[in-house]
Amino acid sequence: GTSKQHVTDDFILRIDKGVKEASSFAASTLEGLLDGSMKLEFCQHLNVTTCQTSQAATKDMGTDTYVVAYNALSSEREEIISIPISVDATYEVYDADENNKMNSVLMPSFNPSNAKGAASYVLYVETGSVP
């Protein structure tokens, strides 16, 4: 609308700070639930297919990467999550118990905004029922 640019810029900075603090809190809480054995990071730029953690891990083939799918709703739901990937390769995705192989497909990335650092590929994973 009618706000001045400096007001909009300030609002964006405040929102960004809040999202980063909330993400850090959620990650530390989930780390506690996982016995603190893993360092969790929140990928802020999935909308432009950028996630430094998954992209770096897939450059070094053979590196295991763990993804937490969190459902904040009070009912179960199924989702397809997207994970930015650097290398065209075969990836195997398993549930938390590592007993069930999950459905996944690797596709070339669609980057219409030409975002710097965007992944070349995206791994889409069917989560199954997330409680």
Side-chain angles (χ1 to χ4, degrees):
T2 59
S3 68
K4 302 280 184 185
Q5 186 63 45
H6 72 277
V7 174
T8 303
D9 292 344
D10 181 61
F11 181 71
I12 290 170
L13 288 173
R14 290 172 187 258
I15 293 292
D16 184 59
K17 180 181 177 187
V19 167
K20 286 178 180 174
E21 287 179 14
S23 299
S24 176
F25 175 77
S28 65
T29 302
L30 288 171
E31 285 172 5
L33 294 173
L34 298 170
D35 301 326
S37 59
M38 293 182 209
K39 168 111 174 68
L40 299 178
E41 296 179 30
F42 182 76
C43 294
Q44 299 280 355
H45 303 288
L46 289 176
N47 61 327
V48 290
T49 320
T50 303
C51 179
Q52 294 305 316
T53 303
S54 64
Q55 288 177 252
T58 55
K59 284 181 183 174
D60 301 325
M61 297 307 293
T63 302
D64 288 343
T65 303
Y66 297 88
V67 176
V68 176
Y70 174 73
N71 178 9
L73 300 177
S74 61
S75 59
E76 290 187 8
R77 67 181 191 174
E78 294 185 10
E79 291 290 331
I80 295 176
I81 59 173
S82 59
I83 305 168
I85 301 292
S86 294
V87 178
D88 182 7
T90 301
Y91 297 93
E92 293 183 351
V93 182
Y94 294 90
D95 65 6
D97 299 323
E98 295 190 23
N99 295 328
N100 300 318
K101 190 171 182 181
M102 301 175 77
N103 293 329
S104 63
V105 62
L106 185 69
M107 304 277 295
S109 175
F110 178 66
N111 182 13
S113 65
N114 293 322
K116 184 178 178 183
S120 302
Y121 301 93
V122 177
L123 183 65
Y124 294 98
V125 180
E126 193 176 324
T127 64
S129 183
V130 180

